Amino acid sequence: MNIGITCYPAAGGSGVVATELGQQLAARGHQVHFIAYALPFRLDQFDANLMYHGVETTSYPLFKFPPYTLTLASKMAEVARNYDLDVLHAHYAVPHATCAYLARQVLTDCGGKMPKIITTLHGTDITLVGSDPSFYDITRFSICSSDGITAVSKYLAEETREVFKTHKDIRVIHNFFDPQRFKPGVCQCQRSEFIEEGEFLITHISNFRPVKRTLDVIDIFEKVSAELPARLLLIGEGPDTVLARRQVSKKKLNGRVRFLGNQTKVEAVLPCADLFLLPSEEESFGLSALEALACGVPVIGSSGTGLVEVVDDFKSGYLLPVGDTSSMARAAIALLKDTSRHAEFKKAAAHLALERFNAEQKVSEYEAYYQEVLDG
Ligand code: GMT
């Protein structure tokens, strides 16, 4: 198949999923065209079946805001026409599903071949951005105009039906990881680079948006480190990074917390960790949690979110109410103190992740879904 993929190229789960999917589809012999404003951040392998088409953001004194949506739609139409696309796959509805719709209208006018539009919903495109009154109608329209819709969890599919009051078929295809990259025990760095002998290493990876509750991560860590020798490794960057740094200083944790910023090869460090924290307000899936589990790292996160489909409560981690940092810290301390339970959780984490979310399986699900949509 000839497949166009549009995603946010910056660090973030939706871009990571789109990139991994594109790379895996290319490896299976499909021609894959990434259409985005920059090279996707984890697109780091050469494959003759992979192409990147950059989208310009044209500026003009009249434009306070350059109309990226229009240049993206034009580029989508151009790539679809020039490369005979069968499928145009938009990751993250806002504004990518709308751009795909516009591209199709452009192609209709030119009388060219019409690719099928598939939109994958990732999370805040529904729960925060898409449901904002200023985006609601156009997002609903664009999603409903897609030929196929997928969601990364059952939780998100249900949220979408509820928020957008639609009965459209939404196929759940869970996120996935590449077992060649994410595996337990193979750490490219040494634990000794981060911790002293006898200390525990706790990690958190996110885009440091308010929805991730990074301050809760620090609060949980403060409670844990009051009881156990531990250090916290924070990976990622975003609007709350400054707040998080301030909080670390305020709590006098500077010597125990390290900020690594954005990292493309998180698999190099994850297997070194003893525990992963993701206490988000909302989480449609929690790809970073899955990558941690795949590396044999138990997760403590928020219940009542899509994490329930990823983390097996009491088997590979603990899920507790949003904001209940005391319970999360208690669960972390108990798990880290109990060496044999911790070892069991580590084993279960890697095993369950591989069994349920490996790339091979999920990429086949996407391939089959593309075919189903193409067959009408
Ligand atoms: O929704 C966001 O904040 C951004 C998005 C991203 O690009 O990282 O994250 C969402 O998509 C990921 C990939 O499908 C999911 O693993 C995340 O759970 C989801 N984020 C939220 O729901 C907050």
Side-chain angles (χ1 to χ4, degrees), residues 137-210:
D137 287 337
I138 189 114
T139 306
R140 185 179 190 283
F141 171 80
S142 312
I143 292 172
C144 293
S145 306
S146 300
D147 300 299
I149 311 167
T150 76
V152 299
S153 61
K154 287 186 209 140
Y155 167 86
L156 183 61
E158 270 155 36
E159 282 284 300
T160 308
R161 282 187 206 103
E162 208 177 301
V163 170
F164 289 110
K165 301 187 180 25
T166 173
H167 297 295
K168 275 207 77 140
D169 181 49
I170 301 175
R171 183 66 51 90
V172 174
I173 304 181
H174 283 121
N175 287 336
F176 57 89
F177 68 96
D178 178 357
Q180 306 295 332
R181 291 172 69 171
F182 294 88
K183 49 189 159 192
V186 189
C187 204
Q188 288 163 39
C189 42
Q190 305 292 323
R191 272 168 73 85
S192 58
E193 289 172 48
F194 304 108
I195 51 171
E196 304 281 332
E197 186 69 35
E199 289 182 332
F200 292 104
L201 184 62
I202 299 177
T203 55
H204 166 79
I205 304 177
S206 77
N207 45 28
F208 285 62
R209 297 206 183 115

Side-chain angles (χ1 to χ4, degrees), residues 240-259:
D240 280 354
T241 307
V242 174
L243 268 181
R245 283 187 184 277
R246 256 190 235 145
Q247 188 79 344
V248 167
S249 297
K250 204 169 131 199
K251 290 180 181 285
K252 305 203 176 359
L253 292 168
N254 286 312
R256 313 208 68 79
V257 180
R258 203 159 141 190
F259 288 82

Side-chain angles (χ1 to χ4, degrees), residues 12-15 17 92 122-125 127 152 175 207 209 211-212 282-287:
S14 59
V17 171
Y92 204 90
H122 281 273
T124 48
D125 45 353
T127 56
V152 299
N175 287 336
N207 45 28
R209 297 206 183 115
V211 71
K212 300 291 175 178
E282 268 290 339
E283 205 61 72
S284 67
F285 182 89
L287 183 66

Side-chain angles (χ1 to χ4, degrees), residues 6 59 87 91 100 106 112 222 240 246 251 275 286 303 319 327 339:
T6 285
S59 74
V87 170
H91 286 261
V106 172
E222 183 190 27
D240 280 354
R246 256 190 235 145
K251 290 180 181 285
L275 195 63
S303 52
L319 297 177
S327 300
T339 317

